[in-house]
Amino acid sequence: MILNHVRLIRELSSGISTESGFVRVEKDMITEVSDRPYPLADETAVNTNIGNTEDIDMVDCKGKTLIPGLIDLHTHITVLNQVGFNCLHSDMELLTTAAEHAAHYLDMGFTTIRDCGSIHRVANEVKHMAQIGLIEAPDLITCGRAVMPTEGSEDHIMAQHVHFADTVDEVRKAARQEIAEGADFLKVFTSGAAAVATSVPEQSIMFPEEIRAAVETAERKGRYVAAHCHGDNAVRNSILAGVRTIEHATLISDETLELAAVQGAYLIPTLAVMHISDGPRKDYWEKRLGPMFRHCTEKMAKAYEMGLYLGFGTDCAAGDFCYDNGIEFRFRRENCGMKDLDILLQCTRNNAVIAGIEDRVGMIRKGMSADLILVDGKPDLDIRCMYHRPKLVMKRGKIVRRM
């Protein structure tokens, strides 16, 4: 297949910049990237090196921008928007519901997602279904259940996606169990959760030695740890324990930003989840999330100015208002002052590096997986075109969405 007359961005196309080039895709791989358009049939007579274009599946992209498929490093295919809550009685119903929901991420161009905790570890199974082509969905990076100190009843509906563990030994055992069940990384809760009314986001809920136990166990199995952190003390403890990705980092201090820079920890801010919609509980959420949002956007703006290698997460569900309206893109641009190109790099190249999958995705170049999206606009110059659905989504060389 030839994607012809595509606009390519230098920073995402291995140095190739053009207003009308082409990308060749064979099976599931990118095999050629050019800064010139592919010669059409009436041009082949003057170029003996070009074969019969009638045998090529040609897509005229009409100058639209081709970029790598997007990556969301913090989402959940269950739990968010209560997906899966009505399926706890049936594992098969939960599996089909989760698989159906996972497919919706493709609508907005996300071809890789990292699930940070799923009900009954169902994301692990959806991952395998996507890998073998049984369902049409993004590639998933999964942790199974998130490891968390006892913060409530095991019967609570929100407890269905966590693995309660207290003490160093219990954390080690929980980590080993999640890895044995197919986790690609470990997720731990080191602070309270903003979404749970009885939880206190500022509180640090894991002891440093417990966090270190998770990190050490993960490293022995070639994995890494992602830590849910709102409070600054939890962020600091997680960084010092060797956690690779700091999720949210909502209440991080200037001093801890400096520590993150020195230690090389990756921050994955999730601003969109703090979007407050109109409704009967608007005042409650404004009081709870408003100060957190203002602090976080201020500190992420500073982290950006410091040159920290920021990742891109949403903690939102595909198909909801925030996903369908590009709220994460908007908040980074409007509230953090990030440049359009840098936001684009965060959700492609940066995320691929952070997740350790940069050899497969995140860039347009020969030998990479053909996970690509076509955007109507120039997102490196005006990210607002990412607030809308892409015109075309390609997953592993197959066009799976087309507008």
Side-chain angles (χ1 to χ4, degrees), residues 181-240:
E181 292 285 350
D184 302 305
F185 70 103
L186 293 179
K187 161 83 175 294
V188 298
F189 275 80
T190 65
S191 81
V196 180
T198 57
S199 190
V200 181
E202 295 85 355
Q203 285 183 349
S204 179
I205 63 174
M206 282 187 88
F207 291 105
E209 57 268 27
E210 292 175 327
I211 306 171
R212 284 196 296 271
V215 171
E216 291 167 359
T217 306
E219 289 178 346
R220 285 179 180 233
K221 302 296 288 186
R223 308 311 201 267
Y224 65 88
V225 173
H228 162 106
C229 305
H230 287 304
D232 183 63
N233 190 51
V235 177
R236 174 170 287 270
N237 288 342
S238 298
I239 293 172
L240 290 173

Side-chain angles (χ1 to χ4, degrees), residues 77 94-105 126 135-137 401:
I77 64 170
L94 176 63
L95 179 61
T96 55
T97 298
E100 179 183 12
H101 182 241
H104 291 307
Y105 287 87
V126 175
I135 60 171
E136 193 173 86
R401 298 288 187 276

